[in-house]
Amino acid sequence: MITPADIVAVASSAALIILGLALILTVWRVVAGPTLPDRILALDMLTGISIGLIAVIAVKTGFSLYIDIAISLGLVGFLATVAFARFVLSRGSIKSPAPTSPAKASSSTKASAKKRHGGGRKR
C-alpha cells in the first residue's frame, strides 16, 4: 500500500530533478543570452527557480525555516529585477550591438556616440 508520505517523497524528488534541469538551462541563458534583457529575464527566472528549490527542500525535510528564506529571496529577487530594468531603461537601448569587424565596430561606435551626445532625445 502506498502511503501519503511515499507520494510526497516521490513528488518532491521529481520536483527537485525538474527544477535542477530548469536551473541548468537558465544558467545557460544567463551566460549565453544574446542581449542584456535576456540575461535580466534569466536572472529573474533563476530567482524563481531557486525559490521553488528551497520550497521543495522545505517540504522534503520538514524544516519550515526554509520557507522564510524563500520569501526573503523572492523580495530581494524582485527588487533586483526592478533595478536591472531601470538600468536598461536608463541606457536607452535594449539591443546589444551585433558583432562586426573591428573597422565597422569603430565606425559604428563613433556614430552611436554622436547619436547619444549630439541629438539625443530629452528626458
Side-chain angles (χ1 to χ4, degrees), residues 27-41:
V27 167
W28 176 78
R29 177 53 71 186
V30 169
V31 171
T35 63
L36 184 60
D38 289 336
R39 290 186 171 118
I40 293 170
L41 187 62

Side-chain angles (χ1 to χ4, degrees), residues 9-27:
V10 169
S12 62
S13 296
L16 283 177
I17 291 170
I18 292 169
L19 287 171
L21 289 173
L23 189 76
I24 290 170
L25 292 173
T26 306
V27 167

